[in-house]
Amino acid sequence: MKDNINLNNAKIEISATNKKQYPKSLPLGEIVLVGKSNIGKSSFINSMLNRKKLARTSSEPGKTRQINFYNIDDMFYFVDLPGYGYSKMSKKDQLESGKYIEEYLEESKDISLIILLIDIRHNPTNDDIHMYNYILSKNIPFIILCNKADKIAKTKVEAKKDEIKKILGISYSTIYEYSSIKKEYVEPTWKNIFNIIKDVEK
């Protein structure tokens, strides 16, 4: 399926703050990225599309307040939700970001897959666990990416994944390693994504 999609034909469609701004549906729906504020969702998008600046990264965690829709060849969207769990964000801003996330996940009818990014170096935070349980409750296909795999020794990757699986209570293989720095993870991740969404028609 990936061969039939021009990944070079990618653009930011809109940055939305409410459901009236959500863009039109695309054939393969929406691949949604969730995770804490400094987990590297923008870097994930850029690395998956072999672009440097399509998704703007921020040196200040918690800065993004909007929902960013990236149109990939008029076939699907990458949807970057605001990050959660940034301790220096004001309570007001936390509530506002949470509102955007909850409204989107409740209102969108085009979600094909949710990708939860977790830092492989650390145990899942309470916010990660809350998000994971929320995703389970929505009964939407998902995978978990243990990001920043380049930050630990390769010999420790499987053990860290097993530790994260144990904490989250995962007994099956929807959890994979990833690194935006090392390109070796890009093709396997695309394969995992399209194995899930290949039968979707929106």
Side-chain angles (χ1 to χ4, degrees):
M1 175 181 288
K2 177 172 171 285
D3 293 337
N4 298 323
I5 297 174
N6 181 8
L7 298 177
N8 293 318
N9 184 22
K11 63 182 181 181
I12 178 74
E13 183 90 356
I14 193 170
S15 295
T17 57
N18 62 72
K19 60 184 179 181
K20 293 180 181 179
Q21 298 174 321
Y22 298 166
K24 65 181 181 180
S25 298
L26 293 180
L28 297 177
E30 298 168 359
I31 298 172
V32 185
L33 308 177
V34 294
K36 63 183 183 180
S37 293
N38 61 344
I39 195 58
K41 292 185 277 86
S42 295
S43 295
F44 168 81
I45 293 172
N46 289 333
S47 62
M48 289 288 285
L49 297 172
N50 196 27
R51 300 278 286 272
K52 291 184 177 180
K53 297 182 180 179
L54 177 64
R56 287 178 293 180
T57 58
S58 173
S59 60
E60 181 184 345
K63 189 174 183 180
T64 301
R65 302 286 190 273
Q66 299 170 315
I67 301 172
N68 294 316
F69 289 80
Y70 297 90
N71 183 324
I72 315 302
D73 200 30
D74 289 328
M75 291 300 295
F76 65 91
Y77 294 107
F78 271 139
V79 183
D80 184 9
L81 297 188
Y84 54 74
Y86 183 51
S87 60
K88 294 184 180 180
M89 190 188 298
S90 70
K91 291 293 183 182
K92 179 182 177 181
D93 287 340
Q94 289 183 39
L95 289 172
E96 192 165 333
S97 292
K99 180 191 72 175
Y100 294 155
I101 296 171
E102 185 174 0
E103 180 181 60
Y104 168 78
L105 293 175
E106 291 291 336
E107 296 291 340
S108 177
K109 307 302 180 186
D110 295 325
I111 299 175
S112 301
L113 174 68
I114 296 177
I115 299 176
L116 172 58
L117 286 94
I118 290 177
D119 193 328
I120 196 171
R121 299 171 298 176
H122 309 295
N123 290 339
T125 66
N126 288 335
D127 289 318
D128 290 328
I129 295 170
H130 177 77
M131 178 57 71
Y132 171 70
N133 288 330
Y134 180 82
I135 293 169
L136 286 182
S137 74
K138 299 301 292 181
N139 197 30
I140 296 173
F142 72 92
I143 60 176
I144 295 173
L145 288 185
C146 297
N147 199 22
K148 306 188 180 184
D150 58 290
K151 302 293 186 182
I152 64 173
K154 277 193 173 184
T155 54
K156 296 182 178 180
V157 167
E158 289 302 319
K160 287 299 297 183
K161 283 166 54 182
D162 287 343
E163 189 175 349
I164 290 169
K165 287 171 68 173
K166 184 176 180 180
I167 292 170
L168 295 178
I170 299 174
S171 58
Y172 44 91
S173 298
T174 55
I175 183 167
Y176 309 98
E177 63 268 34
Y178 191 78
S179 166
S180 298
I181 304 298
K182 295 188 176 181
K183 293 185 177 181
E184 65 192 80
Y185 295 105
V186 172
E187 285 300 322
T189 302
W190 276 124
K191 182 178 179 180
N192 291 328
I193 288 173
F194 283 116
N195 280 343
I196 294 175
I197 70 170
K198 61 185 178 181
D199 296 323
V200 172
E201 281 294 337
K202 294 293 181 183

